[in-house]
Amino acid sequence: MAQWTSAVGASQLARQLQAQQPRPAGPGSRRPPAYRALADGIRLLVLEGRVPVAARLPAERELALAVSVSRTTVAAAYEALRAEGFLESRRGAGSWTAVPAGHPLPARGLEPLPPESLGSVIDLGTAALPAPEPWLTRGVQGALGELAPYAHTHGDYPAGLPALRQMLADRYTALGIPTMPEQIMVTTGAMGAIDAICHLFAGRGERIAVESPSYANILQLMREAGARLVPVAMAEGLAGWDLGRWRQVLRDAAPRLAYVVADFHNPTGALADEDQRRALVDAARSAGTVLVVDETMSELRLDPEVEMPRRVCAFDPAGSTVLTVGSASKAFWAGMRIGWVRAAPDVIRSLVAARAYADLGTPVLEQLAVNWLMRTGGWEEAVALRRTQARENRDALVAAVREQLPGWGFDVPHGGLTLWVRTGGLSGSRLAEVGERVGVRVPSGPRFGVDGAFEGYVRLPFTVGGPVAVEAAARLAAAARLVGTGATTGTDAPRTFVA
């Protein structure tokens, strides 16, 4: 019986390998042999989770043709990977990826470090801040005070608690976008909302247009749902969407869905202006494409002088073209797994009906907590605290990276939680690999792209500040020196850091 659970085609693997930047050679050193470079490239893809564990690799002859090397080179690379524990083979079953004994299984998305690792590793992998106390505690206490009537029911509310649906509808109406509670479904986080939308609108093999780069966890969710991702390049810097490219993709590829982040885009931080929003909605409507708009960062404006444009759904208030996804996770706390969808009532009914085969509903106590916070003004107080934390962290991180890594480039966003950084020609994948060993966890650029794009980038979130930001930048600089000299096989033990 074969031990592999998926397969990677030769052309796909070749594209991912060709997108990697070659390992720099240290002073006086020679370029590694071709087989070694190939083995290192595949190993990095496995460690990054971009080639899954237990994935069958192409036959030696197929890969040799795809990457334009000899079959002997591929055979030697596979043998090296077997010796290192990254490949297993059996006659008649082929070769499949593995990880050495004792090595942590790579995550394909962006997962937080376990709490026991936080003393020695600075986690820049997840864009999430600690809870904005005392508002979390107050919200939960307020929810407990209102729980009794709900405790006498079955507790299943597939569309969400009526009180929270009304509250969310009222908040959109206050923004000038008339909304009924029938246009709202409460979900288990924004990921739950987008997963439900993908299953309803985009079956296996359907095209979904996505920004390039885009949010790594959503890209992985869509891949695992069987979608065919169509990347649409962002404009340079913080300019937002390239409308010419969007019109071309919507016209030529005719995707069933398009997923965008208009407000402080993850990872670039770009803020789409009002003209861009109107034009994209018009283009999606003309193409028959459903536009899924992720608003999870919309309340995280860090520079008060920046004027926020109208929400994207303001240009499609009925919700037939634009499906809006919101969440408490970024604006409030990642542990508060409350999200929502705003759409046309018939879309909401379809999403609710399909939910019966998924999770049935969202936890009642957390819905009550969010409703209590929004009703009492605690939400605004908590979000104001969150903005202050993120602004201070952003400024500290920007200053530390500029001092420690002057060759790296970035545009400072006016909001959100992420900094998209050009690494001065260094491989983001190798920086991520070496960073783990010197005590800083950072996601590489290719996680946010399709088929290996953005190798020369990393994403840095605004989750640490003060001396921790300085230390994080120092560890990144140490990783950059190791990668820059080609000395990526040694280890520097992580130092325990206490803020």
Side-chain angles (χ1 to χ4, degrees):
M1 180 178 176
Q3 302 298 307
W4 47 273
T5 57
S6 62
V8 181
S11 59
Q12 177 190 357
L13 184 56
R15 285 196 303 272
Q16 291 179 292
L17 289 167
Q18 288 162 3
Q20 292 179 333
Q21 295 169 351
R23 174 187 290 182
S29 63
R30 298 178 179 178
R31 291 176 62 86
Y35 85 89
R36 184 70 261 173
L38 178 58
D40 286 348
I42 295 173
R43 177 174 56 84
L44 274 174
L45 292 174
V46 173
L47 289 172
E48 280 266 291
R50 290 185 282 130
V51 168
V53 174
R56 187 180 186 273
L57 293 186
E60 294 170 2
R61 188 185 303 278
E62 293 175 359
L63 185 58
L65 288 171
V67 298
S68 301
V69 298
S70 69
R71 183 177 176 180
T72 302
T73 296
V74 176
Y78 279 12
E79 182 57 38
L81 290 168
R82 277 190 288 269
E84 296 163 4
F86 286 96
L87 197 68
E88 295 180 10
S89 304
R90 197 175 69 205
R91 185 178 296 276
S95 299
W96 56 92
T97 56
V99 292
H103 197 287
L105 197 67
R108 302 200 70 190
L110 303 180
E111 299 178 356
L113 279 174
E116 61 269 19
S117 300
L118 294 178
S120 59
V121 178
I122 299 175
D123 186 7
L124 298 181
T126 305
L129 290 161
E133 289 288 28
W135 296 108
L136 173 63
T137 297
R138 292 179 183 176
V140 172
Q141 290 172 340
L144 286 171
E146 299 175 358
L147 181 62
Y150 297 94
H152 294 292
T153 72
H154 49 62
D156 287 335
Y157 296 88
L161 292 185
L164 182 55
R165 296 177 74 194
Q166 183 68 61
M167 176 63 67
L168 293 168
D170 290 346
R171 289 174 71 85
Y172 280 107
T173 300
L175 292 171
I177 309 162
T179 303
M180 305 178 293
E182 291 80 9
Q183 290 180 261
I184 301 292
M185 181 177 84
V186 181
T187 62
T188 307
M191 292 287 287
I194 294 170
D195 182 57
I197 291 169
C198 288
H199 279 88
L200 180 63
F201 284 93
R204 185 164 295 274
E206 291 274 9
R207 294 185 181 92
I208 301 179
V210 295
E211 297 154 323
S212 184
S214 187
Y215 179 35
N217 285 342
I218 294 297
L219 295 180
Q220 190 57 34
L221 181 156
M222 291 174 175
R223 289 188 189 103
E224 293 185 357
R228 297 164 61 189
L229 301 184
V230 183
V232 185
M234 296 284 288
E236 289 297 319
L238 299 177
W241 300 321
D242 185 324
L243 267 301
R245 288 172 173 163
W246 269 105
R247 290 189 185 98
Q248 181 180 355
V249 166
L250 293 176
R251 181 182 65 247
D252 297 345
R256 185 72 181 90
L257 289 179
Y259 168 77
V260 297
V261 184
D263 302 297
F264 309 120
H265 175 260
N266 185 356
T268 68
L271 176 67
D273 64 36
E274 196 155 299
D275 289 340
Q276 290 175 319
R277 295 169 189 236
R278 180 186 293 105
L280 187 57
V281 172
D282 290 344
R285 184 182 293 115
S286 297
T289 297
V290 174
L291 190 61
V292 182
V293 180
D294 185 333
E295 287 189 342
T296 53
M297 298 283 190
S298 63
E299 298 197 59
L300 292 176
R301 176 180 59 175
L302 305 186
D303 297 324
E305 68 275 11
V306 173
E307 185 175 349
M308 291 296 293
R310 285 182 290 172
R311 302 288 179 93
V312 178
C313 56
F315 303 102
D316 179 50
S320 56
T321 295
V322 176
L323 309 187
T324 302
V325 173
S327 172
S329 297
K330 297 298 185 185
F332 188 79
W333 183 47
M336 187 68 78
R337 305 304 305 160
I338 298 295
W340 54 87
V341 180
R342 181 198 180 276
D346 62 318
V347 173
I348 294 298
R349 286 193 294 270
S350 296
L351 287 169
V352 171
R355 192 175 194 179
Y357 307 101
D359 63 354
L360 291 178
T362 301
V364 169
L365 188 63
E366 293 183 29
Q367 292 186 73
L368 287 172
V370 170
N371 187 60
W372 185 92
L373 288 164
M374 289 181 172
R375 189 181 72 244
T376 62
W379 179 268
E380 281 68 28
E381 295 279 352
V383 171
L385 176 59
R386 170 67 77 240
R387 290 190 189 112
T388 299
Q389 291 174 319
R391 184 186 309 113
E392 292 174 352
N393 288 356
R394 178 197 64 181
D395 295 346
L397 185 65
V398 164
V401 172
R402 281 176 172 163
E403 179 181 357
Q404 298 277 354
L405 293 151
W408 289 18
F410 49 83
D411 297 287
V412 181
H414 296 294
L417 290 171
T418 58
L419 192 67
W420 186 236
V421 182
R422 299 178 295 278
T423 56
L426 298 178
S427 163
S429 297
R430 291 191 171 91
L431 282 166
E433 179 193 14
V434 176
E436 293 268 1
R437 298 205 301 267
V438 300
V440 60
R441 183 173 181 259
V442 57
S444 69
R447 285 183 176 269
F448 303 88
V450 177
D451 279 346
F454 307 110
E455 184 60 60
Y457 287 81
V458 293
R459 189 196 73 172
L460 305 180
F462 310 144
T463 53
V464 297
V468 185
V470 174
E471 178 67 14
R475 295 185 187 188
L476 280 173
R481 286 192 295 272
L482 288 171
V483 173
T485 59
T488 58
T489 55
T491 62
D492 286 359
R495 293 165 283 173
T496 300
F497 184 82
V498 180

